[in-house]
Amino acid sequence: SKQAEEFATAWKKEAEFVRTAVAMPKPASMDDIQNMLGPISAAMGGVPEFATSAAPKDPFFNHVTAIAESVGVLGWVAVDSKPVPFISDTAGAGDFYLNKLLMACKKEADAADHQAWVKSVRALYDDLKKYVKEYHTTSLQWNSAAMAKKTGGRKKKAVVDDDDNGASPISAFETLIENHVAAYVTCSNTLGGDVAKQASIYADAWKKELEFLKVAATMPKPSSSDEVQKMLGPIAECMGQIPAFAEAVSPRDTFFNHLTAIAESVGILGWVAVDSKPVPFVGEQGDSGDFYLNKLLMACKKEANAADHQAWVKSVRTLYAELKAFVKEYHTTSLQWNTGLAKKTAVQDDDDDDGGSGSDPLAGFDEIVKTQVATYLTASAKLGGDIEKQASIFAEAWQKEAEFLKKAASMPKPSTGDEVQAMLGPIAELMGKIPEFASAVTPRDPTYNHLTAVAESVGVLGWVAVDSKPVPYISDCEGAGDFYLNKLLMAVKKEANASDHQAWVKS
């Protein structure tokens, strides 16, 4: 209980810090931020001492060590990027001791008290994670209270801006510009010259992208790509001016690396036109300029203003990391059009409607079956044999999953697991047939890698039964088959029909 008092004090200090942070711009100096964080750090520092002074045989050793190992969760406020995974990792550091505790207390008379304590710790960390994901997804949102004031205290919804709590895609991108594009421009102005000029145009491109996103949020995606390109015109025009600054200087110029890093990575704003997987696209485009950022860091080490150059590099990398986090959060598969629900033109109270996403999940899954599953079937038919037979059953499993989703969307979740399992039966039955094709062939069989890749990853369809975090679950299942896909790509390089195998892997 003594450690709990110390930990509770740290949480209260953090609440005071967050209240201050959301009411002011982020300080320019790290020292100022560290001074603000001082009271939290001081309170956190007292927490591990209880674990240090307890022996492993002490009945409270696991309790105090679990908290000592995970007290760092409160450090999310100082994390520049991805605070949610940071919280998960830090909370996980104490989970080993929570599990040990649950095992150790099973036969204790007060086992229920220990179990309730473990549950309270886990619930606390889960709620912190939910809070940060909701309001500070990419990093601590400084000065965000200023935006909330626009609604007069009570949250309202408008056509494009959903609400002003910082959780909508539009407000999140606005925050990205206000915090991270602004930081990049500030660092560029400190260096001056062409770096500042290029930054001014680049910042305009980001603002044009914001305007585009606002329009895209109020309308369905145009049927013609020409219409989309026309909408993207103002962004493209600004982007087109960026490389000229790099081309106009020689490699020996002081600012060559700065200007070229931006020129090489300006394409990052093109994620809005990427039909599939924009997150890797953002990562790749950001990395395109990283060679020059590293060269710059090496070159400026002995400069009098090295700190200014280093701050500039950090501002660019942070900006790109924040964009990647934004796209991953709101536009994971591709740009989400019509999320503003244009038909709801009246301003509504939060009590009346939850806003919705404007997209139909059933139609989305049907689209996967009609397009991607169909493409996989076509590619499998071209290879024939067991690959085609396995594909036919796998495709049927996807169709059964679509039927299951339709039922699930029209009814409350059954109260028993047995009822859910009964509903999932037709999917599970088909999934169970998939590995048989791989088991029936030897590793030397030309179809072995194909059949095993699907057999190892068929579990992706089990996401519907996952109670928490289905997206990482899908990634893990997908990864289980990836080894065989890569082996297949290596093995078919010199085959006459290599392109057919490559098309199958792609599908």
Side-chain angles (χ1 to χ4, degrees):
S1 69
K2 291 176 185 174
Q3 186 191 52
E5 287 174 14
E6 292 272 355
F7 200 20
T9 299
W11 283 81
K12 289 169 187 171
K13 295 295 181 187
E14 183 136 304
E16 293 170 14
F17 168 80
V18 171
R19 285 192 195 101
T20 303
V22 298
M24 64 180 282
K26 185 176 181 179
S29 162
M30 276 305 297
D31 290 340
D32 290 338
I33 296 174
Q34 289 304 319
N35 287 337
M36 290 175 68
L37 291 169
I40 308 171
S41 300
M44 287 169 64
V47 172
E49 294 172 8
F50 293 89
T52 308
S53 60
K57 296 201 177 202
D58 190 292
F60 291 139
F61 176 77
N62 288 319
H63 303 70
V64 293
T65 307
I67 300 300
E69 289 292 316
S70 58
V71 64
V73 292
L74 292 174
W76 71 267
V77 290
V79 174
D80 285 333
S81 176
K82 300 185 180 176
V84 178
F86 170 85
I87 292 171
S88 295
D89 293 344
T90 310
D95 225 41
F96 171 74
Y97 296 96
L98 295 180
N99 288 327
K100 275 186 72 178
L101 166 57
L102 289 173
M103 293 294 290
C105 76
K106 275 184 178 178
K107 297 180 182 178
E108 299 291 327
D110 60 346
D113 294 336
H114 295 280
Q115 291 161 353
W117 184 85
V118 169
K119 187 176 180 181
S120 73
V121 173
R122 286 176 168 162
L124 174 62
Y125 292 162
D126 282 345
D127 282 349
L128 175 63
K129 196 155 70 167
K130 288 173 187 171
Y131 163 76
V132 174
K133 186 174 183 180
E134 176 74 12
Y135 297 103
H136 306 276
T137 313
T138 54
S139 62
L140 174 66
Q141 300 301 295
W142 293 80
N143 209 28
S144 54
M147 189 178 291
K149 287 178 184 176
K150 294 175 186 175
T151 59
R154 193 151 179 227
K155 288 192 289 181
K156 298 286 184 181
K157 290 180 185 174
V159 174
V160 175
D161 285 315
D162 276 351
D163 55 31
D164 285 327
N165 67 1
S168 77
I170 298 302
S171 60
F173 201 80
E174 285 174 337
T175 301
L176 189 153
I177 289 176
E178 289 167 7
N179 289 345
H180 303 293
V181 174
Y184 156 67
V185 170
T186 299
C187 290
S188 298
N189 288 340
T190 299
L191 296 176
D194 282 346
V195 173
K197 291 175 186 174
Q198 186 190 53
S200 176
I201 295 172
Y202 199 21
D204 280 343
W206 285 78
K207 290 168 188 171
K208 296 293 183 188
E209 185 136 300
L210 172 61
E211 292 171 17
F212 168 81
L213 289 175
K214 286 180 178 177
V215 175
T218 65
M219 62 182 285
K221 183 177 180 178
S223 55
S224 162
S225 60
D226 289 341
E227 291 179 68
V228 177
Q229 289 304 317
K230 188 176 180 182
M231 291 174 67
L232 293 170
I235 308 170
E237 186 179 346
C238 288
M239 288 170 63
Q241 297 175 46
I242 300 295
F245 290 91
E247 292 163 5
V249 297
S250 74
R252 292 177 179 270
D253 191 284
T254 310
F255 291 144
F256 175 77
N257 289 319
H258 306 70
L259 301 172
T260 309
I262 300 299
E264 289 291 315
S265 59
V266 65
I268 203 166
L269 289 176
W271 71 267
V272 290
V274 174
D275 287 332
S276 176
K277 299 185 179 178
V279 180
F281 174 85
V282 170
E284 289 163 9
Q285 292 295 316
D287 290 345
S288 297
D290 224 40
F291 172 74
Y292 296 95
L293 295 181
N294 288 329
K295 278 187 71 179
L296 165 56
L297 289 174
M298 293 294 291
C300 75
K301 277 184 178 178
K302 296 180 181 179
E303 298 291 326
N305 63 340
D308 294 336
H309 294 281
Q310 292 160 353
W312 185 87
V313 169
K314 185 178 180 182
S315 75
V316 174
R317 285 177 167 162
T318 302
L319 173 60
Y320 290 167
E322 293 296 327
L323 177 62
K324 189 174 178 181
F326 164 81
V327 175
K328 185 176 182 180
E329 177 73 12
Y330 297 105
H331 304 276
T332 315
T333 55
S334 63
L335 174 66
Q336 301 301 296
W337 293 78
N338 208 26
T339 55
L341 298 179
K343 61 184 177 183
K344 296 186 180 179
T345 54
V347 175
Q348 301 167 332
D349 286 342
D350 275 349
D351 298 334
D352 296 330
D353 189 75
D354 66 0
S357 67
S359 57
D360 177 2
L362 297 180
F365 197 83
D366 282 343
E367 185 64 21
I368 292 174
V369 174
K370 287 176 187 172
T371 57
Q372 306 306 332
V373 174
T375 301
Y376 158 67
L377 273 173
T378 302
S380 299
K382 204 158 190 181
L383 296 175
D386 283 347
I387 295 171
E388 183 178 8
K389 291 174 186 174
Q390 185 192 55
S392 177
I393 295 172
F394 198 21
E396 195 178 343
W398 283 81
Q399 286 158 0
K400 292 295 182 187
E401 184 136 302
E403 291 170 18
F404 169 82
L405 289 174
K406 283 170 187 166
K407 287 180 187 174
S410 64
M411 63 183 281
K413 183 175 179 179
S415 55
T416 73
D418 289 342
E419 291 178 78
V420 177
Q421 289 304 317
M423 291 175 66
L424 291 170
I427 308 170
E429 184 181 348
L430 291 164
M431 286 170 64
K433 295 177 180 179
I434 299 294
E436 294 172 7
F437 291 90
S439 304
V441 296
T442 68
R444 290 179 180 269
D445 190 286
T447 64
Y448 176 77
N449 288 320
H450 306 72
L451 301 172
T452 309
V454 176
E456 289 292 316
S457 58
V458 64
V460 291
L461 290 176
W463 71 268
V464 290
V466 174
D467 286 331
S468 175
K469 300 184 179 176
V471 178
Y473 168 84
I474 291 171
S475 296
D476 291 343
C477 290
E478 178 190 6
D482 228 33
F483 171 75
Y484 296 96
L485 295 180
N486 288 326
K487 275 187 72 178
L488 167 58
L489 289 174
M490 292 294 290
V492 302
K493 276 185 177 178
K494 296 180 181 179
E495 298 291 326
N497 64 341
S499 61
D500 293 338
H501 294 280
Q502 291 160 352
W504 184 88
V505 169
K506 187 178 180 183
S507 74

